[in-house]
Amino acid sequence: MTAPPGTLLSVRGLWKSFGTGGGWGRPARRVAAVADVSFDVPAGKTLALVGESGSGKSTIARLVLQLLRPDAGAVSFDGLDWLGLPRAELNRQRRKVGVVFQDPASSLNPRMTVEEIVSEPLLVHRIGTASERRERVVRLLAAVGLPAAALDKRPGEFSGGQRQRIGIARALATEPRFVVLDEPVSALDVSVRAQVLNLLLDLQEGTPSRPAYLFIGHDLGVVRAVAERTAVLYLGKVVEEGPTAELFAAPRHPYTALLLASQPGRRDGASLARRRVAGEPASAAALPPGCPFHPRCPSARPECRREEPTETVEPSGRRFRCFVPEASTGNFSPSST
Amino acid sequence: MGDADPPLLSVRGLSVAFPGPAGDVLAVEEVSFDVGRGEVVALVGESGSGKTLTGLALARLVPEPGRIAAGTVRFEGVDVGSLGERDLSRLRGGAIGYVFQEPSTALDPVRTIGSELVAVLRRHRGLGRREARAEALSWLRRVALPGAEERLRDLPHRMSGGMRQRAMLALALAGGPRLLVADEPTTALDVTIQAQVLGLLASLREELDLAVLLVTHDLGVVREVAGRALVMYAGHLVEEGPAEDVLAAPAHPYTRGLLASLPSGEDAAPGRRLPALEGSVPEPDARPPGCSFAPRCPDAFARCRTEAPGWYAVPGASGTRRAACFLREGDAP
């Protein structure tokens, strides 16, 4: 798998396992939270990582941000070997990367003023003079829809949606080329969610650095609104990846199909039938042999229980790991064609 | 709202107050609605709408220092406000069951699911120990808890979120409720598990002829299970009607804005802006005069900013359909 031209971030064969259990007479074990994950994020575009709890999506974010070291794999960013950079160079390069977390209440220091919060990355990277920094903060606040009067206030004085705007302003302060958005709207009210999603779309278009987004989420509706491409994760593996619209209109992996059928409000017969067979997900600590999805899969065959499917890549660039893929014509979901 | 056969639950003029620095603040204001036997009614709203407090107030469970400041709640014809502590505790977890968003906060962390169930069955159903044990197991099987027999001896932390929510449902149902108040019962669950738990709730509701008041922020969940929908905004009910009608043709500008801002809309596409409501829900102590939604409403006019709208009937196919909006004044049949 070679990265197509225009790729900003390229992840290949990423692995990360954690130790678990042990003590109290139980043997310690290694659990693979991320297993052989590969994807590309094109410059200025958005890739969504979608999955349920335990899928490894947040671990991938932390690996890409170098908040964790992977056990194996390669990450190239802007043509650099991102994992092999010497410490000083990595710190210099970090200004090209921003991050927005799910819960602005816990990711913003409550004792700092908005100006201190948003200008902190500028100080760390020694960007601008004091007055230039202040000017940039005012500009950033305006870009995220906050008045200059917010400068001297603290996070506690703002609503959840406004706090997330502050977090976005901070993430964009160094004019990054790449921003990790880890469930950025999941903690927000429905009516505020659309505002913040629109803001993220506008900023991608309107910020001079045209940041690419790695959007981590679980809400397929949200993902459909923001991401050109989507990778679906199940128990640490990318089970399907492709253009968002195609993937949702005609999923090839049965897990993607189950996610779509489970959307609340989907009451058509095919969706209800698919939901009925799906039990609880296995845990990454007790992976079944073969395909990790086979115990919940309506199309599972004997080989799925023995052998793990390798990746199939279609000419269109869609890829999936499944011996028995869904029909490619999209007969599953007539409503979304 | 016929008088001959009283509904299972009848709420009239319910207000919930919290003390504030400048006097009482009303978190719930003059809310009235009915729930019929076996009916599934969704109480929809965002954070700060007062939906959770409304659900809690039904069994007088409003947390301190809040209190019910006005209104009556009648359950099976009895004024809940007139009940003593003894009768109230019999009602809670008995005829009115509760299921909350996060089962781990509602389940005792050091008690097994089996012993919790046995306690409920003895207390609310008057069963002996042996009978209660047998029935506890049958409830865990009815909520399709995997490995029900071993689960009886399990502590809550040994189970997944989906399993805990099933256990919580078993606890609420074992008390023999006629009304189940389910407050965001699936919000903390993964989407594939949410679909299973909602499906389970629907089939048990039918089997037990149970009425459900489903408190939720998720319009998809409303579409999935509710027969009727009540929409709350900033402490007020603003719209009521058959869920299908409310979702297909919302009569209040708030409901309309909420539906439009859902990114699951059919024409959603990467990069396309969503129609968003401006602003956010006002805090209870900072609600504007007139209609609380007026500052965010694209259709507001002068009267909306000075006068609070009453109910207006909205023409519709079936059932009570009404909206608290001056724009609906002309719709009256």
Side-chain angles (χ1 to χ4, degrees):
Chain A
M1 188 175 158
T2 47
T7 298
L8 178 69
L9 180 90
S10 181
V11 170
R12 290 293 174 274
L14 207 58
W15 288 82
K16 179 70 191 176
S17 60
F18 296 104
T20 181
W24 302 97
R26 264 178 286 173
R29 259 184 314 194
R30 302 294 294 175
V31 173
V34 174
D36 195 16
V37 163
S38 302
F39 57 82
D40 294 318
V41 184
K45 302 275 190 208
T46 302
L47 172 76
L49 295 182
V50 175
E52 299 184 279
S53 30
S55 64
K57 56 190 193 295
S58 289
T59 305
I60 293 171
R62 288 159 68 200
L63 291 169
V64 167
L65 290 165
Q66 292 224 38
L67 301 174
L68 279 176
R69 287 298 289 185
D71 303 333
V75 177
S76 110
F77 175 73
D78 206 8
L80 299 167
D81 171 11
W82 188 241
L83 301 178
L85 289 179
R87 183 121 213 119
E89 180 60 17
L90 173 66
N91 285 341
R92 204 161 30 244
Q93 292 291 336
R94 269 188 201 276
R95 61 185 282 184
K96 295 186 189 164
V97 178
V99 56
V100 177
F101 295 103
Q102 172 172 353
D103 184 4
S106 61
S107 60
L108 302 179
N109 186 335
R111 292 167 200 280
M112 283 164 75
T113 66
V114 169
E115 182 178 7
E116 286 165 346
I117 289 169
V118 177
S119 63
E120 194 179 35
L122 298 173
L123 267 174
V124 168
H125 292 286
R126 300 199 184 91
I127 295 171
T129 62
S131 71
E132 282 165 355
R133 283 197 291 270
R134 174 165 256 248
E135 200 181 303
R136 192 185 286 196
V137 171
V138 171
R139 216 168 50 232
L140 283 161
L141 289 182
V144 300
L146 290 173
L151 278 177
D152 302 319
K153 294 187 177 165
R154 284 166 220 280
E157 297 174 68
F158 296 91
S159 69
Q162 287 171 320
R163 280 201 289 257
Q164 200 55 300
R165 288 169 191 268
I166 298 168
I168 292 168
R170 177 180 60 181
L172 293 175
T174 57
E175 297 181 337
R177 303 197 50 209
F178 176 68
V179 181
V180 174
L181 303 164
D182 191 355
E183 302 263 11
V185 297
S186 302
L188 303 180
D189 269 324
V190 180
S191 73
V192 178
R193 196 178 290 176
Q195 296 168 13
V196 173
L197 287 174
N198 283 342
L199 173 66
L200 289 169
L201 292 172
D202 289 348
L203 290 170
Q204 193 170 37
E205 290 285 316
T207 306
S209 61
R210 301 273 326 234
Y213 292 155
L214 182 65
F215 189 102
I216 292 165
H218 68 276
D219 185 326
L220 298 187
V222 168
V223 162
R224 180 145 58 173
V226 298
E228 285 88 4
R229 291 183 79 89
T230 296
V232 179
L233 290 157
Y234 189 73
L235 294 176
K237 293 200 167 68
V238 175
V239 295
E240 176 161 16
E241 197 261 350
T244 307
E246 287 175 34
L247 195 124
F248 285 6
R252 300 305 307 276
H253 198 285
Y255 176 61
T256 314
L258 172 65
L259 276 183
L260 286 162
S262 299
Q263 295 302 296
R266 280 242 185 175
R267 303 299 310 276
D268 55 290
S271 296
L272 293 179
R274 194 176 283 276
R275 291 176 185 185
R276 260 195 298 279
V277 296
E280 293 256 339
S283 96
L287 277 184
C291 169
F293 187 63
H294 86 252
R296 306 176 76 192
C297 184
S299 351
R301 290 187 190 158
E303 66 260 38
C304 307
R305 295 180 189 100
R306 288 192 307 263
E307 213 178 307
E308 192 166 349
T310 51
E311 196 163 83
T312 305
V313 184
E314 292 185 331
S316 66
R318 281 190 65 184
R319 54 196 178 104
F320 50 85
R321 288 175 192 257
C322 181
F323 290 128
V324 199
E326 306 281 308
S328 60
T329 46
N331 58 354
F332 160 71
S333 161
S335 68
S336 45
T337 46
Chain B
M1 298 179 194
D3 301 316
D5 192 12
L8 179 71
L9 174 78
S10 179
V11 178
R12 289 295 173 273
L14 178 72
S15 294
V16 176
F18 281 80
D24 275 357
V25 171
L26 291 179
V28 174
E29 219 167 326
E30 291 184 41
V31 162
S32 301
F33 64 91
D34 290 341
V35 177
R37 266 166 223 288
E39 202 184 10
V40 180
V41 178
L43 186 58
V44 194
E46 297 182 272
S47 47
S49 63
K51 59 187 191 299
T52 290
L53 283 170
T54 301
L56 291 172
L58 302 181
R60 299 191 82 81
L61 286 167
V62 173
E64 294 281 342
R67 63 189 170 83
I68 295 175
T72 57
V73 174
R74 288 185 164 271
F75 182 74
E76 298 187 317
V78 176
D79 179 357
V80 174
S82 72
L83 298 178
E85 268 314 310
R86 235 183 107 105
D87 287 332
L88 271 178
S89 62
R90 199 167 299 156
L91 185 72
R92 299 167 182 152
I96 302 183
Y98 279 87
V99 175
F100 299 103
Q101 173 172 343
E102 195 26 83
S104 50
T105 59
L107 295 171
D108 188 336
V110 295
R111 249 177 116 174
T112 65
I113 298 303
S115 95
E116 292 234 38
L117 269 169
V118 166
V120 166
L121 289 162
R122 296 191 55 155
R123 175 188 170 84
H124 289 289
R125 305 265 308 283
L127 300 187
R129 190 172 297 275
R130 191 188 304 255
E131 285 171 297
R133 272 209 200 116
E135 193 162 334
L137 181 60
S138 90
W139 274 110
L140 290 188
R141 289 194 174 128
R142 285 172 95 165
V143 297
L145 196 69
E149 216 146 331
E150 300 90 85
R151 294 292 161 216
L152 276 177
R153 292 183 295 275
D154 256 354
L155 294 173
H157 78 270
R158 300 264 301 150
M159 295 190 267
S160 71
M163 280 161 35
R164 277 201 294 265
Q165 199 55 288
R166 285 170 199 269
M168 176 110 164
L169 193 57
L171 269 176
L173 296 180
R178 265 83 75 195
L179 174 68
L180 180 72
V181 180
D183 190 339
E184 304 274 13
T186 58
T187 304
L189 304 179
D190 275 327
V191 63
T192 60
I193 308 300
Q194 162 168 283
Q196 291 170 8
V197 172
L198 289 177
L200 173 71
L201 189 61
S203 66
L204 285 170
R205 189 212 64 76
E206 198 162 49
E207 185 188 324
L208 304 169
D209 194 27
L210 183 71
V212 178
L213 183 69
L214 181 77
V215 179
T216 182
H217 73 283
D218 188 331
L219 295 165
V221 170
V222 176
R223 194 187 304 274
E224 179 90 28
V225 295
R228 206 147 52 83
L230 310 167
V231 183
M232 274 189 99
Y233 183 79
H236 296 268
L237 271 186
V238 297
E239 177 161 4
E240 169 177 5
E244 236 170 276
D245 296 356
V246 170
L247 294 171
H252 195 284
Y254 171 62
T255 320
R256 203 160 53 230
L258 208 54
L259 277 161
S261 66
L262 280 185
S264 48
E266 285 302 310
D267 53 345
R272 191 171 302 165
R273 291 180 58 93
L274 301 158
L277 277 167
E278 296 303 315
S280 55
V281 183
E283 298 292 323
D285 59 352
R287 288 188 191 139
C291 171
S292 299
F293 186 61
R296 304 178 73 188
C297 182
D299 305 319
F301 53 103
R303 189 182 178 190
C304 308
R305 292 181 242 282
T306 54
E307 198 183 326
W311 286 107
Y312 295 101
V314 179
S318 57
T320 308
R321 181 102 162 81
R322 52 183 193 155
C325 176
F326 291 125
L327 292 169
R328 300 276 81 85
E329 200 172 22
D331 294 356

